[in-house]
Amino acid sequence: MSEFLKEKVNWKFEELMIDGQFKNREAELEFLNRSSKASEHSIFYPQSFRTAFLVQLFSILEYELRVICLHHHIENKTDFSINDLSGRSDLEKAKKYLTKSCSVNFENLNPEWNFLNTIRKIRNSIVHHKGEIKKTDKDWNSIFNFVKNNKDKIGFSEHIEYMNKEDYAEFIYNHQTFHLEVGRRQLNNELVNQICSFLHKLKTELNWT
């Protein structure tokens, strides 16, 4: 998407310059204005799109799991449905139903399940806190370790995942809050693959043909 925007938006910075210098003060101000807009198109808009896409993908997964659980309940006339179970999310309630009613062994659904559960935590941070996370949050270690091991897919705006041990320790000692950025397409590509693989394995566990 960022490449598409770069191709479609031509800011013509060169028209503001003469021999490597701004033509005048107005040209310099216009350069700053165009630079700001170019940054929005090449960084902010793609990041916003990828963040929204991640949230949407996860919503689709939760919806599909609800459909599977409800279908199983109706077809097998089980004593309870997914709607009767408590849980902080549809993902958690689906796991409860599939475990209790379908005897699904979630160990057989790894590593996809662990990946999706971590994405759930990231999705929650995005939806409920605009990607803001504190080192005192219960999901901090899980999310930070995921980011550190997947720097080609997701990052922090503070770039702490690239710091060495000493710099990282000093930085987080002086800062409490950090911000997630889905600025790379690879995370959503991986999420699509993991969802497909997970649902395929689940289908096998349920003996669905």
Side-chain angles (χ1 to χ4, degrees):
M1 182 179 180
S2 56
E3 288 79 6
F4 170 81
L5 289 170
K6 288 177 182 178
E7 290 177 3
K8 294 300 179 183
V9 180
N10 181 3
W11 299 107
K12 297 182 180 179
F13 292 113
E14 65 277 3
E15 69 182 22
L16 305 175
M17 316 287 288
I18 296 179
D19 296 329
Q21 301 292 326
F22 292 114
K23 291 180 178 179
N24 48 45
R25 177 58 178 165
E26 288 72 20
E28 183 177 0
L29 293 175
E30 180 61 19
F31 174 84
L32 294 174
N33 179 52
R34 294 185 187 183
S35 295
S36 176
K37 290 181 179 179
S39 178
E40 288 181 355
H41 281 79
S42 62
I43 300 174
F44 177 74
Y45 292 155
Q47 180 177 310
S48 296
F49 172 81
R50 288 165 183 155
T51 300
F53 191 45
L54 180 144
V55 172
Q56 186 63 31
L57 282 172
F58 205 84
S59 296
I60 292 171
L61 169 64
E62 289 187 318
Y63 172 80
E64 290 299 325
L65 285 175
R66 279 187 57 82
V67 170
I68 290 171
C69 292
L70 290 172
H71 174 75
H72 181 273
H73 167 64
I74 293 171
E75 288 294 311
N76 295 277
K77 298 181 173 58
T78 56
D79 295 334
F80 57 89
S81 77
I82 186 175
N83 294 328
D84 299 318
L85 300 174
S86 61
R88 293 174 298 176
S89 68
D90 283 340
L91 194 71
E92 185 176 306
K93 288 191 285 185
K95 181 181 179 181
K96 284 185 177 181
Y97 180 85
L98 292 168
T99 301
K100 293 180 178 181
S101 187
C102 309
S103 299
V104 170
N105 183 357
F106 271 75
E107 288 299 318
N108 296 332
L109 303 180
N110 278 322
E112 291 83 358
W113 173 255
N114 286 336
F115 179 91
L116 295 173
N117 198 40
T118 302
I119 295 297
R120 174 186 63 81
K121 298 171 184 177
I122 292 172
R123 188 279 309 266
N124 288 347
S125 176
I126 291 170
V127 171
H128 301 299
H129 305 289
K130 298 181 180 179
E132 182 177 289
I133 183 170
K134 298 179 180 179
K135 62 183 181 182
T136 54
D137 291 345
K138 61 182 177 63
D139 292 330
W140 166 255
N141 287 332
S142 177
I143 291 177
F144 175 74
N145 288 331
F146 180 87
V147 173
K148 190 173 182 179
N149 293 324
N150 294 274
K151 289 181 282 193
D152 61 323
K153 300 179 180 70
I154 187 172
F156 292 99
S157 61
E158 295 82 7
H159 305 299
I160 58 175
E161 66 272 23
Y162 292 99
M163 295 180 182
N164 60 41
K165 187 176 181 179
E166 291 74 20
D167 291 341
Y168 166 75
E170 180 180 355
F171 191 85
I172 66 168
Y173 179 80
N174 296 306
H175 297 78
Q176 294 292 325
T177 303
F178 304 91
H179 303 83
L180 289 164
E181 289 185 342
V182 187
R184 304 165 182 86
R185 72 179 71 178
Q186 288 87 344
L187 181 60
N188 285 328
N189 291 343
E190 181 67 16
L191 179 54
V192 170
N193 292 334
Q194 292 284 342
I195 289 174
C196 291
S197 181
F198 171 78
L199 292 176
H200 178 74
K201 284 186 176 182
L202 178 58
K203 181 179 177 181
T204 301
E205 281 286 305
L206 294 171
N207 295 316
W208 287 6
T209 57

